[in-house]
Amino acid sequence: MSQQLINAISLGAVYALIALGYTMVYGVLRLINFAHGEVFMVGSFIGLAALSVFHLPFALAVLVAMVGAALLGAVIERGAYRPLRSAPRLAALITAIGVSLLLQNLGMLILGAAPRAYPPAIDPAPIAWLEERAGVVVTRQQVVILAATAAILAGLSLIVSRTKIGKAMRAVSEDRQAAQLMGINVDRVIAFTFCLGSAIAGAGGVFYGVYYGTADPLMGLMPGIKAFVAAVLGGIGSVPGAMLGALLMGLVETGVSSVTLRVSPSLVLTGSTLRDAVAFAVLIAILLLRPAGLLGRPGREKV
Amino acid sequence: MDSVSDPALLTLESCTVSFGGLIAVDELSLQVRPGELVSLIGPNGAGKTTVFNAITGVYPLARGDIRLEGTPLGGLPPHRVARLGVARTFQNIRLFRGLTVLDNLRAAMHHGSDYDLLRAALRSRRWAATEARLQAKARELLGLFELEGRAEEPAGSLPYGEQRRLEIVRALATGPRLLLLDEPAAGMNPAETQRLMDLIRSLIERFSLTILLIEHDMRLVMGVSDRVVVLNHGREIAAGTPQQIAGDPAVIEAYLGEPTH
Amino acid sequence: MWAHYLPRLVLYVAIGSVLVGLDVGLPRLLNAYLVQILVFVACNIVLATSLNLINGIAGQFSIGHAGFMAIGAYATAWLSTTHGQRLLAPYEGQRLEPLLIVAYLVVLMFLGGLAAALGGLLIGLPSLRLRGDYLAIATLGFGEIIRVLLLNLEPVGGATGLRGIPQYSSLFLVLVAAVVTVAALHNLGNSVHGRSLLAIREDETAAEALGIDCAHYKTSAFVIGAFFAGVAGCLYAHYTQFIHPRSFDFMKSIELVLIVVLGGGNLRSVILAAVAITLLPEGLRLVKGALHLPFDPRMAIYSALLIAAMLVRRERVLQAVLPGRKGGGLRE
C-alpha cells in the first residue's frame, strides 16, 4: 500500500509540473493551451540531447531543458496566440490544437516516430536501507524527482506570491482589463506566464524521460491530457488546485493500474488501457458535477 | 387571495432573491393589471434587473410567489415562462448579431410553427405554408417599426438606436401578453427617447400589452407610466402615480440623499 | 400537392440518374483506387456536414465526431459479420441478391445511425451544462473513451481491428447518402428549427427568453449530427471491409473540425472543404513518393493549415462558425 502511494506521488509530481502550466496560462489568458503537452515533449528531448549528446550533468540538463521549453513557449505565445487575443476564445482553442498537432508531427518528421532511449541519468536502483528497514522500494530517481519537484514548486510559489511580476500575474488573472488600466503591461505578463509554465513543463519532460527511460514525439499527448484533467480537477486557474489535482490523478491512475475490470466475458479492461479511459471519465464527471473543480471559484453569468 | 378572480396579470408576492448571502430582492410584492404600464425605478444596484430575471425564470426565488394570471411561474425554466406570454428585452442588447434582422424575428416566432424536424427536412407542404406565414408576419412587424429596409442586414450591423428597437420588435414577435423592457432608452438622445416614448405607448393598445419598464430616464418614466414603483436595496420604498412619486421624500433621498449605512 | 413536390421529384430523379450514370460509368473509367477516394470524399461530406450542424449551426463545439462514426461503423460491421452475411447467404448468386443487399444496407444505415444517435444523446447531455472549451474537452474525452473501449472489445477484434466485413456499400450508395444528408441538413437549416439552433449559437440567454427550449435543441443537434455520422461509419465500414479503432481517433475528429472551420459554417463551402481536405492527402501521398519522405506529412500540413486558417482568414472563417459577439462562445 505504501509502495503504491510512493509510485502515485512520483507520477503525481510529474503531472503537477505539467498541470501548473495549464492552470497559470488559463488564469491569465482563459485559454486551454493544448500545445502544452508538446512543450513538455520538446523539453524532454532537449534534456535527452543535453544528457546523451553533450553529456551534461543532470541538473544542468534540466536547466537547459527549462530554458529551451521557455523559449518555445514564448515563440508559441507570440506567433500563434497573441494575434488572436481579441478573437473569440474558440479560435484560440482551435489554434492551440493546431500548434499541438504541428509540434507532434514536426517531431515525427525530424526525429522519427520510434521512441528513443533516455539515459539513466540518476541511479534507478532502490535505496537499500529503506528497503531493508521499511520494506518499501524507493529509487534514488524517485527521491531526486520528488525533491526537484518540491524545489520547483517552492520557487514558483515564491515568484507568484513575492515578486512584482508574480503580483502582476495574479492581477491579470483577476481582471485583465483592470490590470491594464492600472498600468500593468499585460502582454509582458502573459508572455512571462507562458515562459514560466513552459519551463516547468520542460523540467517535467526531463524527469518523465528519466523515470520511464524513453522519449518519443507523441509522449506529450497522454500526460498532457492527464495533467489538464488534473488542473480541471483542482479547479483550473488555481495553482494549489493544480498540485492537489495532479496528486489525485497520480493516486487514481496508480490505483486503477493494478485493477482488471471484467465488464463481461468479451469486455475485459486491463489496468493499462483502463487508465486512459478513467482519466477521461473523471474529467467528464468533474465537468458535469463540479465544473469549477475542487478549489476553483464558480462563476455566474450576468444577464 | 383567490387567484382565479385575481384581476392582476402579474402578481409578485413577497419575492426574495439572494446570491449566496447577498439579498438582491427583498420581500417584494407587486401587482400589474392588464393594459397597465408600470415602471420600476431606483438607483443602480437596487435590484431592478434581478426582478426581471426572477420573473423570467433566469434566477430562482429564495422565497415568495410569482403568478401570471394565476399561473405560478416559480421554478419554470425561462423558455416556459416565455411561452406563457412573457417577453423581455435586455439592458445590454442581446440580439442574434450574426443573423439577419428578419431571422432575428423568425427565430422569435419559433413556437408559432407547427411542423416537426422531419417535415422540415423533407420540406413538406406544411413547412412551406408555415414559413410563408412567419415571413409575412415578420415583415409586417418590421414595417410597423420602420425596419423594413433592414430585413436582410445582419442585426449586429444596425445603428445602436435601431438595435434597441429591433430588440423590442423581436420580443413582440413572440406574441406576449406581458412585455418587460430593461432600460430601452439607454444611450439614446432626447429626440430618440421621445420617439421611443410614443412607440411604447402605442404598443399597449396595438398589441393589447401590459408593460413593466425599467428606466433611468425620468422624463420617459414620468411621461409613459401609469404607476411607478421605486426600489432601493432590493426593497420597495415608494409606489404610486408619477406625480406622487416625484414629490416623495424617500425617493428623493434614495437618489440624492446620504446613504444611511 | 403535386405542385409542391413535383419540381423536387424531377430534381431528385435527375440527380439519381446522374449518380447511376456515375456508378455504372466510373468504375469503368477509374481504377479501384480512384473509386475508393471518391467514396472517402462522399463519407467525409456526410461527416463534415453533420458536424457542421453541431459546431457551425448550433455552435456547440464538438471535437469527438469520429467517436460517433466509430459507433456506427462498429455496430453495423458487427451485425454484418455475425448475422447479416448469414442472412443473405441463401440468396447468393440469385437475381434478387443486389436488391436485397441494398435493402439490407439501408436498414443497416438506420441502425448504425440510431446507435450513434444514442451516443449523441449521451454527449448531448453534458452540452446542457458545459460551454465553449469545456464542452470541447468533454467531447474529446467521449471520443477517446469510445476508442479505448473498442480497443478492448474482443468480439469486434479489439486491438487487431475487425476484418472480413462484406463489401455491401458502393460508390453509388455513398453518393446517394451524401446527397440525402446534404439535402436534409440544408432544409433543416432553413426552418424554424434551424433558426432556433442559430439563435442558440448567437446568444443562449436571449434564445431561451424567446421561448426556445435550448436544452432540447442542443441535445437534438447532437443526436441528429451523430445519426448522420453513424450512417457514414456504416458506409465506410462496408466499403473498406476492415476497421480499426485507429481509424476513428482524435486525428479524424480534428480533420472534420478542420473541414468545418475552413468551410466557415456555410454548407456549400463545407462540402468544398470536405472534397479538398480528402483529396489533399492523396496528392501529398504522391509528393511523399516523389520526395522519398520517410513519413506521411499529412498531419503536419493539416495542423499548419488549421493555424493558418485561424490567423489569416479568421474574420471570414469564424463569422459563420463562431458567435458574432466577441468571445461570445464563452462568457464568464
Side-chain angles (χ1 to χ4, degrees):
Chain A
M1 193 60 216
S2 49
Q3 181 65 61
Q4 294 271 29
L5 202 62
I6 287 160
N7 293 342
I9 292 172
S10 307
L11 188 62
V14 175
Y15 287 160
L17 291 176
I18 312 173
L20 283 168
Y22 272 119
T23 244
M24 289 193 300
V25 165
Y26 192 88
V28 294
L29 210 51
R30 300 284 180 275
L31 165 74
I32 298 170
N33 178 17
F34 242 93
H36 196 57
E38 278 56 53
V39 172
F40 161 87
M41 176 268 289
V42 171
S44 187
F45 271 106
I46 294 175
L48 174 64
L51 287 170
S52 57
V53 180
F54 299 102
H55 302 288
L56 296 181
F58 179 70
L60 208 55
V62 172
L63 206 66
V64 170
M66 287 176 82
V67 171
L71 283 176
L72 178 65
V75 169
I76 294 172
E77 193 274 325
R78 190 74 189 76
Y81 301 151
R82 195 175 294 185
L84 292 172
R85 197 71 42 93
S86 62
R89 278 169 51 192
L90 282 174
L93 182 74
I94 298 170
T95 309
I97 293 172
V99 172
S100 161
L101 292 175
L102 187 65
L103 287 174
Q104 279 171 24
N105 285 283
L106 286 180
M108 294 214 278
L109 194 64
I110 296 165
L111 302 160
R116 305 278 176 111
Y118 222 93
I122 318 165
D123 184 11
I127 299 168
W129 63 268
L130 254 175
E131 201 176 356
E132 281 161 22
R133 302 235 178 115
V136 185
V137 180
V138 181
T139 65
R140 201 170 296 274
Q141 274 183 0
Q142 283 172 323
V143 173
V144 172
I145 288 174
L146 279 177
T149 303
I152 290 172
L153 296 186
L156 178 72
S157 306
L158 276 179
I159 291 176
V160 173
S161 62
R162 295 290 160 78
T163 64
K164 205 173 156 194
I165 187 94
K167 279 180 193 156
M169 275 169 65
R170 283 184 289 151
V172 173
S173 297
E174 204 64 43
D175 187 333
R176 195 201 298 176
Q177 264 180 331
Q180 193 144 30
L181 292 174
M182 298 303 287
I184 292 172
N185 184 342
V186 172
D187 277 342
R188 231 188 81 218
V189 172
I190 290 174
F192 178 78
T193 309
F194 261 88
C195 289
L196 194 60
S198 301
I200 297 172
V206 182
F207 299 162
Y208 191 88
V210 168
Y211 194 62
Y212 289 100
T214 63
D216 68 87
L218 298 182
M219 69 185 283
L221 199 61
M222 270 333 227
I225 286 172
K226 284 167 186 169
F228 170 72
V229 176
V232 176
L233 177 61
I236 193 147
S238 152
V239 170
M243 298 185 197
L244 177 69
L247 199 62
L248 287 175
M249 273 306 282
L251 283 171
V252 169
E253 279 208 12
T254 317
V256 168
S257 292
S258 52
V259 171
T260 301
L261 195 63
R262 214 169 278 280
V263 180
S264 71
S266 54
L267 181 59
V268 179
L269 294 163
T270 55
S272 53
T273 51
L274 198 59
R275 250 183 10 206
D276 299 348
V278 164
F280 286 111
V282 167
L283 175 67
I284 293 177
I286 306 161
L287 290 180
L288 289 180
L289 300 176
R290 201 180 153 80
L294 297 174
L295 302 183
R297 282 174 303 180
R300 181 172 215 122
E301 187 184 1
K302 191 169 163 58
V303 176
Chain B
M1 189 194 297
D2 185 5
S3 61
V4 180
S5 63
D6 187 352
L9 179 73
L10 178 76
T11 311
L12 273 72
E13 229 179 272
S14 25
C15 291
T16 300
V17 180
S18 61
F19 305 119
L22 183 83
I23 292 177
V25 175
D26 194 3
E27 299 281 329
L28 180 71
S29 293
L30 177 71
Q31 290 208 341
V32 185
R33 285 184 294 278
E36 218 181 2
L37 195 158
V38 176
S39 286
L40 223 48
I41 65 169
N44 282 322
K48 304 181 298 289
T49 298
T50 308
V51 172
F52 274 19
N53 284 333
I55 296 171
T56 53
V58 176
Y59 294 156
L61 284 181
R63 278 187 305 281
D65 190 26
I66 302 179
R67 284 168 185 272
L68 187 74
E69 277 193 335
T71 313
L73 301 183
L76 290 183
H79 70 268
R80 294 280 301 280
V81 176
R83 285 183 195 188
L84 287 173
V86 181
R88 71 178 289 183
T89 64
F90 295 89
Q91 200 172 354
N92 47 336
I93 307 175
R94 300 188 84 141
L95 288 170
F96 306 130
R97 299 174 60 86
L99 305 190
T100 63
V101 168
L102 188 64
D103 277 348
N104 265 270
L105 292 205
R106 288 198 288 180
M109 294 173 177
H110 157 270
H111 52 290
S113 81
D114 55 354
Y115 58 86
D116 53 23
L117 284 165
L118 193 65
R119 285 205 169 85
L122 297 175
R123 296 204 160 202
S124 74
R125 275 199 303 168
R126 194 186 289 180
W127 169 86
T130 307
E131 283 299 309
R133 183 165 54 77
L134 294 188
Q135 169 107 348
K137 194 179 156 204
R139 294 231 175 237
E140 186 194 325
L141 274 174
L142 287 178
L144 282 177
F145 288 79
E146 294 156 34
L147 286 166
E148 229 169 359
R150 303 286 199 182
E152 301 301 334
E153 287 176 37
S157 71
L158 259 53
Y160 184 80
E162 292 190 0
Q163 289 196 17
R164 283 250 175 244
R165 228 182 316 148
L166 177 58
E167 220 194 4
I168 299 175
V169 193
R170 188 181 64 176
L172 286 176
T174 64
R177 288 184 287 169
L178 175 66
L179 180 63
L180 311 178
L181 297 173
D182 198 344
E183 295 193 26
M188 285 189 176
N189 63 37
E192 284 174 319
T193 307
Q194 181 61 46
R195 273 177 56 204
L196 182 75
M197 203 160 109
D198 300 340
L199 185 72
I200 291 175
R201 277 267 49 134
S202 73
L203 289 180
I204 294 189
E205 286 181 22
R206 192 180 285 154
F207 295 92
S208 45
L209 275 178
T210 306
I211 294 181
L212 197 55
L213 172 76
I214 294 176
E215 188 49 66
H216 279 300
D217 187 315
M218 280 308 132
R219 228 169 54 82
L220 177 68
V221 169
M222 295 302 163
V224 300
S225 310
D226 296 317
R227 280 194 301 133
V228 179
V229 174
V230 189
L231 292 187
N232 197 17
H233 301 299
R235 286 178 162 279
E236 179 189 307
I237 55 168
T241 62
Q243 292 74 27
Q244 291 167 329
I245 292 302
D248 192 309
V251 179
I252 295 166
E253 191 190 317
Y255 272 95
L256 305 170
E258 289 298 315
T260 50
H261 51 72
Chain C
M1 180 89 190
W2 283 105
H4 179 69
Y5 291 107
L6 191 64
R8 263 191 296 154
L9 202 65
V10 171
L11 177 69
Y12 289 155
V13 169
I15 292 177
S17 346
V18 170
L19 293 183
V20 171
L22 280 177
D23 190 49
V24 175
L26 281 180
R28 272 159 225 205
L29 290 173
L30 307 173
N31 58 26
Y33 168 66
L34 288 174
V35 171
Q36 173 163 337
I37 291 174
L38 285 181
V39 168
F40 289 167
V41 167
C43 276
N44 269 354
I45 288 176
V46 174
L47 288 163
T49 49
S50 60
L51 179 64
N52 185 51
L53 181 74
I54 303 173
N55 280 12
I57 296 179
Q60 304 300 303
F61 202 73
S62 163
I63 46 178
H65 210 54
F68 300 133
M69 184 192 182
I71 295 177
Y74 266 93
T76 57
W78 177 77
L79 272 175
S80 284
T81 48
T82 52
H83 300 88
Q85 260 176 321
R86 215 166 348 124
L87 209 69
L88 289 169
Y91 304 97
E92 206 183 316
Q94 292 187 17
R95 231 186 312 163
L96 263 178
E97 199 200 4
L99 257 169
L100 281 176
I101 285 181
V102 170
Y104 169 79
L105 194 69
V106 168
V107 172
L108 211 55
M109 281 196 278
F110 261 100
L111 292 179
L114 285 181
L118 212 62
L121 187 64
L122 218 65
I123 197 65
L125 294 178
S127 81
L128 304 183
R129 295 201 53 171
L130 303 175
R131 286 183 187 186
D133 35 10
Y134 277 96
L135 176 63
I137 297 297
T139 58
L140 186 166
F142 167 79
E144 286 297 294
I145 289 175
I146 296 286
R147 194 178 59 82
V148 171
L149 287 181
L150 289 174
L151 270 174
N152 287 278
L153 204 59
E154 282 313 317
V156 290
T160 55
L162 187 56
R163 282 174 200 290
I165 307 163
Q167 195 179 44
Y168 291 155
S169 160
S170 66
L171 179 59
F172 173 68
L173 285 171
V174 183
L175 287 175
V176 168
V179 169
V180 169
T181 306
V182 169
L185 290 173
H186 170 78
N187 292 347
L188 214 56
N190 205 347
S191 74
V192 156
H193 306 292
R195 284 191 292 270
S196 296
L197 291 173
L198 285 169
I200 292 170
R201 176 190 83 186
E202 294 284 318
D203 190 326
E204 221 176 300
T205 306
E208 186 80 16
L210 295 172
I212 295 172
D213 185 347
C214 294
H216 168 78
Y217 271 109
K218 285 199 281 184
T219 319
S220 302
F222 270 99
V223 168
I224 298 169
F227 177 87
F228 285 110
V231 170
C234 167
L235 290 167
Y236 173 84
H238 287 81
Y239 193 86
T240 58
Q241 299 178 270
F242 168 69
I243 51 176
H244 188 277
R246 203 191 309 119
S247 324
F248 313 105
D249 62 2
F250 182 50
M251 298 297 162
K252 182 69 191 176
S253 293
I254 287 298
E255 182 190 328
L256 297 173
V257 169
L258 174 63
I259 293 172
V260 170
V261 168
L262 283 178
N266 173 304
L267 206 54
R268 198 176 308 160
S269 350
V270 168
I271 294 169
L272 279 178
V275 175
I277 292 296
T278 321
L279 293 181
L280 183 69
E282 303 307 328
L284 292 177
R285 197 167 299 195
L286 301 179
V287 173
K288 182 192 164 198
L291 297 178
H292 304 288
L293 285 178
F295 97 114
D296 195 354
R298 186 173 56 161
M299 280 318 295
I301 291 176
Y302 274 8
S303 42
L305 263 179
L306 198 60
I307 300 169
M310 282 299 130
L311 292 182
V312 179
R313 46 174 295 208
R314 66 165 187 274
E315 279 79 19
R316 206 135 59 90
V317 168
L318 292 171
Q319 211 167 31
V321 186
L322 300 173
R325 193 182 294 263
K326 265 190 181 178
L330 250 180
R331 282 174 295 273
E332 278 86 74

